[in-house]
Amino acid sequence: MKSLLPEVTIGIPFYNAELTLLDAVKSVFAQSHQNWELILLDDGSTDRSLELARSIRDSRVRVYSDGRNCRLAARLNQIAELASSDYIARMDADDLISPKRIERQLEVLIARPEIDLVSTGICSLTGNDEPIGVRGVPDSHVISARALLLGSSGIVHASLLGKRDWFLRNRYREDIRTGQDANLWVRAFAKNDLLVGFIEDPLYYYREDGNVVSKKLINAYGEVMRTIVRDSGSSFSLADKSYSYILTFLKIFVVRVLNVFGSLTILRDRRSGAFLGSKDKEKLIEEIQYIKNIDLPTFLD
């Protein structure tokens, strides 16, 4: 089936990611499915990120830079416009992806033509790239309206692979600085245009460090509350909207309390997911090492 799978555009927006960008690109080159183009989209970096991106010598890699800092939502909309493939996969510049990720997601999308997007599970990494846990929803997971309003859809934003047409007709709100994904899911669901498949296996390696901080969490929860009021519309019941709004408000209170007592590690540990057994951890470590040992064709010494 591999030879029948279509080309996919993989988009990586980046901003000051010189320490991690090439590892992210290595995980693209490590894919079992090699029929891809890679769009590296600079968001006004001030470090060596753009230089590193431009050093890659491969006709499948395209680098774009306009010198502006437009933030993530605008760059994700731009990737959909620039893509030459009918399918788009995205990832963040400080993460890694499993060598089987693109192949597995394309297989699901082709086998289930009624869906537009495929999400995967996550392997959480420390800053030293040590796997510390996995999380994901079952392949049979069904998204509920209330879960969407709570920002708990089960969709792993950075792991998505989907149809380009979907991203063109469902654009990110560029006036939102955080929680653009949760907002988009609510707006798409409201017009009956959120059909998602799931792969429970952890095909996306996510660096958790620096993401569980009080300011980020409070801002994200605040955006969830604004989305409920502003964008949910009549497709969501008043009961679901009221419940989700109140519970999200309580989450902000909990974050503030935990932050005062220096206990945000509780949330970080919870996000890391299920404990890894020694065999599973060893397998993930081997895969990460394989990715990082990939030789990129670059102009660098």
Side-chain angles (χ1 to χ4, degrees):
M1 185 173 181
K2 291 182 186 179
S3 61
L4 301 179
L5 293 176
E7 181 188 55
V8 61
T9 296
I10 303 171
I12 305 180
F14 63 90
Y15 173 74
N16 289 353
E18 65 177 359
L19 297 180
T20 58
L21 179 60
L22 290 186
D23 277 346
V25 174
K26 285 181 180 181
S27 67
V28 174
F29 275 75
Q31 291 301 296
S32 57
H33 179 68
Q34 284 289 301
N35 187 13
W36 49 258
E37 69 162 352
L38 174 61
I39 293 177
L40 299 176
L41 190 53
D42 176 47
D43 192 36
S45 297
T46 58
D47 64 358
R48 295 181 62 240
S49 299
L50 182 56
E51 176 189 347
L52 295 175
R54 286 174 169 166
S55 73
I56 301 169
R57 298 177 296 171
D58 191 293
S59 60
R60 296 171 296 176
V61 179
R62 292 192 278 151
V63 181
Y64 293 88
S65 178
D66 56 20
R68 298 181 297 163
N69 180 236
C70 299
R71 297 186 176 273
L72 181 62
R75 298 308 183 185
L76 292 177
N77 286 335
Q78 189 178 357
I79 285 171
E81 295 164 359
L82 293 171
S84 61
S85 307
D86 292 332
Y87 302 93
I88 296 175
R90 65 160 304 244
M91 67 177 292
D92 291 333
D94 57 350
D95 296 330
L96 304 170
I97 55 177
S98 167
K100 291 286 188 179
R101 176 200 162 181
I102 300 300
E103 178 186 345
R104 293 275 307 277
Q105 288 180 288
L106 280 174
E107 287 176 344
V108 171
L109 205 56
I110 299 303
R112 298 180 58 192
E114 75 279 7
I115 65 175
D116 294 301
L117 305 167
V118 181
S119 173
T120 80
I122 284 180
C123 171
S124 297
L125 302 179
T126 66
N128 296 321
D129 293 337
E130 176 189 357
I132 54 176
V134 296
R135 67 181 186 271
V137 297
D139 297 1
S140 58
H141 178 69
V142 177
I143 298 173
S144 72
R146 181 170 291 187
L148 273 178
L149 293 177
L150 287 169
S152 304
S153 62
I155 303 171
V156 177
H157 184 210
S159 81
L160 279 181
L161 186 151
K163 297 173 182 176
R164 178 173 179 253
D165 285 347
W166 188 91
F167 289 103
L168 289 174
R169 68 177 183 263
N170 293 282
R171 295 175 63 83
Y172 295 88
R173 286 189 61 142
E174 297 181 12
D175 59 329
I176 297 177
R177 291 198 169 195
T178 187
Q180 304 96 334
D181 52 335
N183 175 272
L184 180 59
W185 314 151
V186 168
R187 288 189 290 111
F189 185 89
K191 58 181 184 178
N192 197 30
D193 196 15
L194 187 67
L195 300 173
V196 187
F198 294 90
I199 299 174
E200 185 174 6
D201 294 340
L203 303 179
Y204 193 93
Y205 292 96
Y206 183 65
R207 292 186 171 100
E208 297 278 4
D209 289 2
N211 287 290
V212 184
V213 295
S214 61
K215 184 177 180 180
K216 279 189 175 184
L217 291 172
I218 290 171
N219 287 342
Y221 289 142
E223 190 54 54
V224 167
M225 294 170 70
R226 285 187 287 275
T227 293
I228 293 170
V229 172
R230 180 186 58 207
D231 295 316
S232 57
S234 59
S235 295
F236 297 86
S237 70
L238 180 60
D240 281 344
K241 288 193 278 191
S242 300
Y243 174 86
S244 302
Y245 191 92
I246 293 169
L247 185 56
T248 304
F249 179 83
L250 292 175
K251 287 180 179 180
I252 292 176
F253 175 77
V254 169
V255 169
R256 292 188 187 278
V257 171
L258 290 176
N259 189 52
V260 168
F261 290 97
S263 301
L264 277 178
T265 51
I266 294 173
L267 298 181
R268 186 178 297 112
D269 292 342
R270 184 178 179 183
R271 279 173 62 106
S272 296
F275 174 76
L276 279 171
S278 57
K279 288 186 178 180
D280 290 335
K281 185 172 183 177
E282 184 177 319
K283 179 181 177 182
L284 292 169
I285 289 174
E286 288 178 358
E287 189 165 270
I288 292 168
Q289 197 56 52
Y290 167 75
I291 292 169
K292 299 185 79 169
N293 285 337
I294 292 289
D295 289 325
L296 286 180
T298 72
F299 292 110
L300 302 175
D301 292 334

